[in-house]
Amino acid sequence: SKPPPPLLPAAMADTVRYHAEEMVPELQDLEKRGFFSKEELRQIARKRTDFEYLLKRRAALREDFLRYIDYEKQVEVLRVARKKSRRLQGKPSLADHA
């Protein structure tokens, strides 16, 4: 079977926007629980959006996927470190599973 046609720019933007909207509850929870500041979350959202655009282009590169994975691992390491250092407790929430 033939591969699907490449995404048009508008469709690409819609897809990226959808993914950005999907991360809002997670980011709000991260701020509410004190893991990251509003400015840090803006930077995380911007970086994720940049990665999503890279992955939606016609010829996404393997390196783009690997860099995105590495970035998300770094964010998670920082989240865990802050949870310990700030002694953030409470029931597990979206921030713990995203």
Side-chain angles (χ1 to χ4, degrees):
S1 81
K2 279 172 63 172
L7 290 175
L8 299 173
M12 182 190 319
D14 288 344
T15 302
V16 171
R17 194 170 312 120
Y18 171 79
H19 288 291
E21 289 170 4
E22 288 291 306
M23 75 173 101
V24 168
E26 173 201 357
L27 296 176
Q28 289 174 334
D29 192 44
L30 287 166
E31 180 187 11
K32 178 181 167 189
R33 298 210 33 223
F35 290 110
F36 296 101
S37 70
K38 215 172 240 205
E39 180 55 33
E40 288 172 318
L41 291 170
R42 270 192 213 100
Q43 291 172 3
I44 290 170
R46 190 175 314 119
K47 190 82 167 165
R48 285 179 174 177
T49 300
D50 292 345
F51 277 120
E52 290 292 334
Y53 273 111
L54 287 173
L55 300 183
K56 298 297 178 222
R57 65 184 174 188
R58 285 181 189 225
L61 303 174
R62 180 175 183 262
E63 293 78 27
D64 295 333
F65 285 94
L66 295 175
R67 285 189 7 241
Y68 195 3
I69 291 166
D70 186 53
Y71 175 74
E72 287 296 332
K73 284 180 177 180
Q74 291 173 25
V75 170
E76 179 61 9
V77 166
L78 183 57
R79 186 194 69 80
V80 169
R82 286 184 177 180
K83 183 175 185 175
K84 287 179 184 175
S85 72
R86 295 176 183 181
R87 297 191 171 117
L88 301 173
Q89 297 180 0
K91 290 191 287 183
S93 67
L94 185 59
D96 294 300
H97 303 289

